[in-house]
Amino acid sequence: MASRNRTIIFRRYRDALKSVRAPASSSPASSLTTSAGGPVIELVSTSLINPNRSYAPLSTEDPGNSSKGALTVGLPPAWVDVSEEIAANVQLARTRMAELAKAHAKALMPSFGDGKEDQRLIESLSQEITGLIKRSEKKLQRLSAAGPSEDSNVRKNVQRSLATDLQNLSMELRKKQSTYLKRLRQQKEGQDGVDLEMNLNGNRSTMEDDDLDNMVFNEHQMAKLKKSEALTAEREREIQQVVDSVNELAQIMKDLSVLVIDQGTIVDRIDYNIQNVATTVEEGLKQLQKAERTQKHGGMVRCATVLIIMCFIMLVLLILKEIFL
Amino acid sequence: MVLVSAVRDYINRMLQDISGMKVLILDSQTVSIVSVAYSQSELLQKEVFLVELVDSISKSKESMSHLKAIFFLRPTSENIHHLRRQLASPRFGEYHLFFSNMLKDTQIHILADSDEHEVVQQVQEFYADFVASDPFHFSLNVPSNHLYMLPAVVDPSNLQNFCDRVVDGIAAIFLALKRRPFIRYQRTSDIAKRIAQETTKLMYQQESGLFDFRRTDISPLLLIIDRRDDPVTPLLNQWTYQAMVHELIGIQDNKVDLRSIGKIPKDQQEVVLSSEQDAFFKANMYENFGDIGLNIKRLVDEFQQIAKSNQKIQTIEDMAKFVDNYPEYKKMHGNVSKHVTLVTEMSKIVEEHKLMLVSQTEQDLACNGGQVAAFEAVTNLLNNESISDIDCLRLVMLYALRYEKESPVQLMQLFNKLASRSPKYKPGLVQFLLKQAGVDKRTGDLYGNRDLLNIARNMARGLKGVENVYTQHQPLLFQTMESITKGRLRDVDYPYIGNHFQQGRLQEVVIFIVGGTTYEESRSVALQNASNSGIRFILGGSVVLNSKRFLKDLEEAQRIARSSPAVV
């Protein structure tokens, strides 16, 4: 597709007109770029002086471009901090998710060892990710703002975008966990099947032996039974934990689904959202005007004026009484 | 696909190199252009957290310098004026200006002058200046569309604006496709000739550098025709899904507004009908009403199955599966309700206005012969009280267009009956239509009764019988496309402009209808493209018409023509 870049011509005109406008002031372009670092440092120092004002770092990569001449770079509002924390959490959760996938694969592989370390690692990773998602979700609620203004629209949109990210994350996590669960169950059944088989065989063979042998076999059998019981109990516990985290995430997803935009519906249309902004701002204005009017003609104001007039009349009557009596 | 993907590519390029939180500022025209191709969730993914109109942005003085502003506007003097005010007191950290068409040097000068704070980082022209509603169909949403019907002397400055907008839109299409076409126009239409001449001047003389693409590719054909050559198609009632929705309810930029129709549940009051995002719509948009009913019933049955299985939740596994599938389930639910609501409302309207009866006569008037039978049918319907006024008007117009010369007495009778029935319709609207689009003014063979070959074809079709009485009409465009495919488009009727001629076999054709296209014609184009004839057709118009819109344009034009002394 064709396009045409007019920036060079534009800059040429701009420089020419600038020199026409202010021929006396000598401010070559180079000094502007070096002084760009200045305003940023200034702002940092001022924020240290005022501890009340929250310092929010600029999200732009190169501050040099955005502050030229007289325009100072403004600090973004405080809620940008919150949104950046949530975005960082999402990033962290993603890396942890990759690690979790590796740990799952490793745990499912048949191994000679106990595999307890793997289980612990998986547990801790899952809990960490779930915790991150929960905390991010709570912080997300803080982003909502009241009142129709441009800032509140930006906040709402930031909220929506982060909610979509969180929802995707939690869905991914749950999918991974459910596949892991399924494979785990398959493995457990397999193991139990083998154990039971061995036990049964053991039982049948002991019937034919004499009692001493029976007792020895029984003990051996009991030990094996106990061991497999312990194993299954542990597996049950793990499965229960995973199921718990699945349910937690389900709850989070329910909360998030209110915020996330359904693709393909009217809410996903840019022109619909612009219209809505316009109408809510207009509505807000109408409400304000109505409130102003009711306040002006309100009962309170009328009462107050009546009382003042009455006081005045009483005062006049008092003075008259003093004069004539 | 090609038109929508061109617009999407342009928008992606606008957003890709700018990091951080952004605000996108559009004007009333570019809002439509962007909304049909890009969704709000995709914008959010690209970190565009606010979308505003350029006129409302100056109202607030709130400084948001942590946001970078991306402007995507049409290069009109109004927008330049808004930009001047913005740049004089900038609210945002950075300004990136993108224009949907070519800027004049003076405009760049004005912008450079007002950029005292030097906040503008780039000024570019990205030629997405058309609303790509369907894969092979675009529209320009020109505001005063009726101007094309009036001679130039009536309102020269507004007509110049109209032509400029059309030429800009056509130029943008070819810049987006990176082609320079050779141009043919309909001989009998002055406005088509004018637009063709101005487009040629732009592409071959004024901005020939910009349009100078690789000459090894075969040049496409741009054919500019006039709506008045086929006035029948916009007047007919439609029975294929997309065309029917537009005819009965109205589609604007792929959105349908159901609020005026009746009592609709809140979340279905405005719906989106886009073939890109809705697979069911894509499969059914060109199907006729009967088939749609069957397909929707199938869709509802499928959905009910899924809903039933969702209700049987007994184990934790079922719960987990339900929560997993919930987003899909919700989406399907929304989609099913949307289509069911649309079809229900349309059925109601069809019932109320007895449209099946009316449409049968309309199709007969448009396709078959028999003046006497037609007269009788129209008279009966005019006497029928339950037929609405606008439908009666349409019937009389269709009759008049076909049997203009055959029996003037009966025609007058119909006019009188119409006038006595609906005094709202100012007398003379039908005559105005005949003056604009009567048989003397038309080039194409609208009824297939001009040359022997067409007459023979018609007789053969009549003998064979038609599959569906309600969809037997083929727009004139279909014949035009066939002639182009066979290379038989007559030079006499559609001459070339300048001395740029066709070389080699055609591969791509853009047809622009001045005065507006209809969804029936866009369906024709889509079906033609699907038939793999080797040529790709793209259709565009100044607006997308339905019968109400076409009649409104006629009324507007008639009103102006009456009040203007220049028109005879």
Side-chain angles (χ1 to χ4, degrees):
Chain A
M1 311 142 328
S3 66
R4 192 157 65 169
N5 196 338
R6 305 297 221 126
T7 319
I8 303 177
I9 304 180
F10 177 82
R11 285 219 182 102
R12 214 181 332 135
Y13 280 154
R14 185 169 69 187
D15 294 337
L17 285 165
K18 194 172 55 166
S19 57
V20 162
R21 225 181 298 130
S25 72
S26 53
S27 47
S30 54
S31 77
L32 280 172
T33 43
T34 49
S35 70
V40 180
I41 305 174
E42 263 179 13
L43 291 165
V44 171
S45 55
T46 48
S47 75
L48 288 175
I49 297 171
N50 301 11
N52 301 336
R53 195 194 321 163
S54 59
Y55 166 64
L58 296 169
S59 52
T60 55
E61 240 86 59
D62 42 348
N65 273 349
S66 51
S67 58
K68 274 198 179 132
L71 181 67
T72 50
V73 177
L75 289 173
W79 57 264
V80 175
D81 259 348
V82 179
S83 76
E84 280 183 357
E85 278 172 26
I86 301 178
N89 280 350
V90 167
Q91 202 49 38
L92 186 59
R94 282 221 179 90
T95 36
R96 291 282 177 266
M97 194 92 87
E99 289 174 24
L100 182 66
K102 277 195 214 119
H104 275 172
K106 193 159 157 248
L108 283 175
M109 276 197 306
S111 60
F112 289 112
D114 218 349
K116 273 224 174 77
E117 284 180 19
D118 293 334
Q119 306 302 338
R120 236 178 289 138
L121 183 61
I122 291 179
E123 236 179 80
S124 69
L125 277 175
S126 320
Q127 273 179 3
E128 194 183 340
I129 299 177
T130 322
L132 276 171
I133 296 182
K134 262 183 34 190
R135 283 202 301 274
S136 308
E137 199 242 331
K138 280 206 195 76
K139 282 200 195 129
L140 203 61
Q141 304 296 338
R142 275 206 271 158
L143 276 179
S144 348
S149 71
E150 281 182 349
D151 189 52
S152 71
N153 277 319
V154 181
R155 286 165 82 141
K156 190 176 73 151
N157 284 328
V158 172
Q159 227 187 359
R160 275 169 166 179
S161 140
L162 291 170
T164 324
D165 285 341
L166 282 177
Q167 198 187 53
N168 290 341
L169 256 183
S170 59
M171 272 185 10
E172 223 185 294
L173 178 63
R174 287 204 0 274
K175 261 200 199 83
K176 282 204 167 72
Q177 283 184 327
S178 50
T179 40
Y180 174 63
L181 258 180
K182 226 190 294 176
R183 288 221 201 106
L184 205 57
R185 279 219 179 95
Q186 282 174 357
Q187 268 194 4
K188 182 178 89 168
E189 278 170 18
Q191 259 189 8
D192 274 355
V194 169
D195 277 348
L196 278 170
E197 234 184 346
M198 272 176 26
N199 287 343
L200 277 172
N201 283 345
N203 270 339
R204 239 180 262 132
S205 56
T206 50
M207 294 304 173
E208 289 150 14
D209 287 350
D210 42 312
D211 289 2
L212 214 76
D213 283 339
N214 275 351
M215 275 178 25
V216 170
F217 259 112
N218 272 345
E219 272 181 28
H220 198 56
Q221 210 182 326
M222 289 297 289
K224 239 191 232 156
L225 253 174
K226 274 204 193 93
K227 193 169 170 208
S228 60
E229 260 180 29
L231 263 172
T232 41
E234 211 182 294
R235 284 269 149 100
E236 288 272 359
R237 207 169 36 91
E238 287 158 23
I239 292 176
Q240 192 54 38
Q241 265 174 357
V242 177
V243 168
D244 278 337
S245 66
V246 166
N247 289 342
E248 269 177 26
L249 283 172
Q251 181 61 32
I252 293 176
M253 233 192 69
K254 195 171 72 102
D255 295 332
L256 284 178
S257 67
V258 185
L259 287 169
V260 172
I261 301 176
D262 297 317
Q263 298 198 347
T265 57
I266 188 74
V267 187
D268 203 14
R269 288 273 301 213
I270 298 172
D271 42 11
Y272 177 79
N273 282 305
I274 292 187
Q275 258 180 332
N276 260 11
V277 169
T279 44
T280 43
V281 170
E282 264 180 46
E283 290 282 296
L285 186 63
K286 272 199 215 124
Q287 298 283 348
L288 273 173
Q289 284 176 336
K290 207 164 75 171
E292 205 188 321
R293 247 180 289 135
T294 45
Q295 209 186 41
K296 255 196 221 153
H297 300 302
M300 285 287 286
V301 178
R302 225 171 269 162
C303 266
T305 23
V306 165
L307 280 172
I308 290 176
I309 292 175
M310 292 219 2
C311 283
F312 201 61
I313 294 174
M314 292 301 161
L315 198 64
V316 167
L317 283 173
L318 195 66
I319 295 173
L320 283 174
K321 189 173 105 169
E322 290 300 308
I323 292 177
F324 287 120
L325 284 173
Chain B
M1 252 345 258
V2 60
L3 296 173
V4 176
S5 53
V7 178
R8 285 180 66 92
D9 280 339
Y10 276 132
I11 300 177
N12 281 334
R13 271 169 60 184
M14 270 183 237
L15 302 176
Q16 75 189 16
D17 290 321
I18 309 173
S19 61
M21 302 207 287
K22 304 181 264 283
V23 51
L24 179 64
I25 300 163
L26 307 167
D27 70 29
S28 48
Q29 294 264 321
T30 51
V31 161
S32 311
I33 296 172
V34 171
S35 300
V36 295
Y38 224 73
S39 69
Q40 177 84 0
S41 42
E42 287 170 329
L43 274 188
L44 290 181
Q45 272 180 3
K46 300 262 178 182
E47 291 190 285
V48 176
F49 292 127
L50 186 61
V51 184
E52 287 262 335
L53 287 177
V54 71
D55 13 4
S56 55
I57 212 170
S58 338
K59 290 196 187 138
S60 152
K61 289 289 173 203
E62 215 181 311
S63 160
M64 301 181 106
S65 48
H66 55 286
L67 293 176
K68 301 188 190 176
I70 302 177
F71 283 78
F72 179 47
L73 310 169
R74 291 207 71 241
T76 61
S77 48
E78 245 187 274
N79 288 339
I80 301 285
H81 181 66
H82 281 298
L83 274 175
R84 282 195 72 179
R85 282 176 49 196
Q86 264 292 300
L87 292 176
S89 49
R91 287 179 60 202
F92 302 105
E94 286 181 17
Y95 280 69
H96 301 261
L97 308 179
F98 295 93
F99 291 94
S100 66
N101 223 301
M102 295 161 261
L103 283 167
K104 302 204 235 320
D105 262 356
T106 49
Q107 292 173 319
I108 306 181
H109 217 87
I110 296 176
L111 287 175
D113 193 22
S114 13
D115 189 18
E116 292 176 22
H117 301 275
E118 305 205 357
V119 285
V120 175
Q121 307 296 319
Q122 49 174 326
V123 178
Q124 300 228 29
E125 294 171 358
F126 277 4
Y127 303 107
D129 207 8
F130 47 90
V131 178
S133 32
D134 284 315
F136 301 107
H137 182 213
F138 70 90
S139 155
L140 298 178
N141 285 347
V142 177
S144 350
N145 188 37
H146 55 273
L147 288 169
Y148 76 98
M149 294 194 202
L150 300 166
V153 294
V154 175
D155 194 348
S157 62
N158 276 335
L159 191 62
Q160 183 61 43
N161 290 341
F162 178 87
C163 290
D164 285 344
R165 176 67 183 101
V166 170
V167 171
D168 281 348
I170 297 178
I173 289 274
F174 284 102
L175 284 168
L177 295 173
K178 279 182 100 158
R179 291 276 200 272
R180 182 160 60 180
F182 60 93
I183 305 176
R184 293 173 75 167
Y185 66 98
Q186 180 187 322
R187 181 182 49 87
T188 47
S189 166
D190 288 330
I191 187 137
K193 180 170 182 183
R194 178 173 172 169
I195 290 176
Q197 281 172 336
E198 294 191 8
T199 313
T200 312
K201 201 163 68 163
L202 179 71
M203 291 188 185
Y204 286 93
Q205 290 166 21
Q206 286 171 344
E207 298 276 0
S208 58
L210 188 57
F211 281 90
D212 199 7
F213 302 114
R214 281 181 310 167
R215 257 169 265 218
T216 52
D217 287 336
I218 303 176
S219 299
L221 163 65
L222 168 64
L223 179 62
I224 302 181
I225 55 183
D226 196 319
R227 176 79 263 160
R228 292 171 287 181
D229 207 33
D230 179 8
V232 171
T233 311
L235 287 174
L236 290 175
N237 225 318
Q238 300 298 324
W239 296 96
T240 59
Y241 199 13
Q242 188 185 34
M244 194 173 177
V245 174
H246 186 47
E247 176 65 36
L248 298 181
I249 306 174
I251 303 181
Q252 178 64 32
D253 301 332
N254 290 348
K255 277 191 312 183
V256 183
D257 190 354
L258 292 166
R259 282 177 290 201
S260 48
I261 301 298
K263 297 180 63 134
I264 312 277
K266 190 141 191 282
D267 59 340
Q268 296 290 334
Q269 278 175 353
E270 266 192 275
V271 294
V272 177
L273 272 187
S274 155
S275 58
E276 308 275 308
Q277 296 168 332
D278 186 346
F280 179 80
F281 183 65
K282 186 168 178 169
N284 286 290
M285 59 200 274
Y286 301 129
E287 299 295 320
N288 67 56
F289 200 42
D291 291 339
I292 299 167
L294 289 173
N295 289 340
I296 285 191
K297 178 165 185 317
R298 213 177 297 144
L299 188 72
V300 172
D301 286 338
E302 261 177 48
F303 178 68
Q304 274 182 341
Q305 290 271 16
I306 297 183
K308 234 180 269 180
S309 72
N310 271 346
Q311 282 173 351
K312 293 202 208 82
I313 298 181
Q314 285 167 342
T315 68
I316 292 185
E317 235 180 46
D318 282 345
M319 235 201 307
K321 220 190 302 175
F322 173 73
V323 180
D324 266 334
N325 296 336
Y326 185 66
E328 283 236 7
Y329 171 78
K330 201 160 93 151
K331 193 167 168 192
M332 199 177 173
H333 174 79
N335 209 21
V336 170
S337 340
K338 169 174 80 178
H339 289 289
V340 168
T341 314
L342 278 172
V343 171
T344 320
E345 292 307 316
M346 291 200 294
S347 304
K348 263 193 241 169
I349 297 176
V350 168
E351 239 340 281
E352 209 181 303
H353 295 284
K354 307 270 187 301
L355 286 178
M356 299 208 87
L357 196 55
V358 176
S359 187
Q360 202 166 10
T361 313
E362 284 178 1
Q363 294 282 333
D364 278 338
L365 281 171
C367 309
N368 307 327
Q371 188 259 329
V372 181
F375 178 71
E376 257 191 63
V378 175
T379 321
N380 284 339
L381 285 173
L382 278 179
N383 290 330
N384 190 337
E385 283 304 313
S386 49
I387 311 285
S388 70
D389 289 341
I390 201 172
D391 291 330
C392 292
L393 177 64
R394 285 203 317 217
L395 283 166
V396 176
M397 279 185 171
L398 285 166
Y399 179 89
L401 281 168
R402 185 155 192 158
Y403 301 114
E404 198 182 334
K405 307 281 186 202
E406 278 188 40
S407 151
V409 176
Q410 290 186 322
L411 193 56
M412 274 318 289
Q413 283 181 351
L414 284 179
F415 285 168
N416 293 333
K417 195 165 279 187
L418 179 67
S420 65
R421 220 201 110 123
S422 32
K424 182 170 76 123
Y425 283 111
K426 296 190 174 57
L429 192 59
V430 187
Q431 284 97 325
F432 184 70
L433 173 64
L434 287 176
K435 229 190 325 178
Q436 292 278 326
V439 71
D440 313 319
K441 296 276 168 35
R442 298 197 299 259
T443 309
D445 191 3
L446 191 56
Y447 295 108
N449 49 12
R450 276 203 196 163
D451 68 14
L452 281 169
L453 187 59
N454 277 337
I455 296 180
R457 208 183 290 164
N458 270 351
M459 278 206 294
R461 210 188 310 149
L463 286 172
K464 199 167 66 163
V466 280
E467 207 178 281
N468 185 337
V469 180
Y470 296 100
T471 55
Q472 51 179 309
H473 177 252
Q474 292 271 29
L476 183 64
L477 188 68
F478 178 72
Q479 281 178 32
T480 316
M481 286 197 291
E482 258 190 6
S483 324
I484 295 177
T485 316
K486 296 198 184 119
R488 280 206 231 118
L489 198 64
R490 294 168 58 179
D491 286 357
V492 174
D493 293 333
Y494 299 99
Y496 289 81
I497 283 266
N499 47 11
H500 317 281
F501 297 104
Q502 175 178 349
Q503 300 135 341
R505 271 184 70 87
L506 266 184
Q507 284 176 342
E508 198 162 6
V509 178
V510 175
I511 303 181
F512 189 85
I513 307 187
V514 180
T517 56
T518 59
Y519 279 118
E520 189 184 345
E521 287 162 337
S522 118
R523 170 177 183 263
S524 206
V525 168
L527 292 177
Q528 175 79 16
N529 282 337
S531 72
N532 280 336
S533 59
I535 304 188
R536 186 172 73 174
F537 286 94
I538 295 177
L539 178 69
S542 43
V543 292
V544 182
L545 291 172
N546 58 10
S547 62
K548 285 194 209 64
R549 185 78 201 257
F550 185 58
L551 290 173
K552 195 166 77 106
D553 283 343
L554 271 176
E555 280 174 28
E556 256 317 295
Q558 187 198 29
R559 192 183 58 84
I560 297 180
R562 275 229 182 110
S563 57
S564 154
V567 179
V568 168

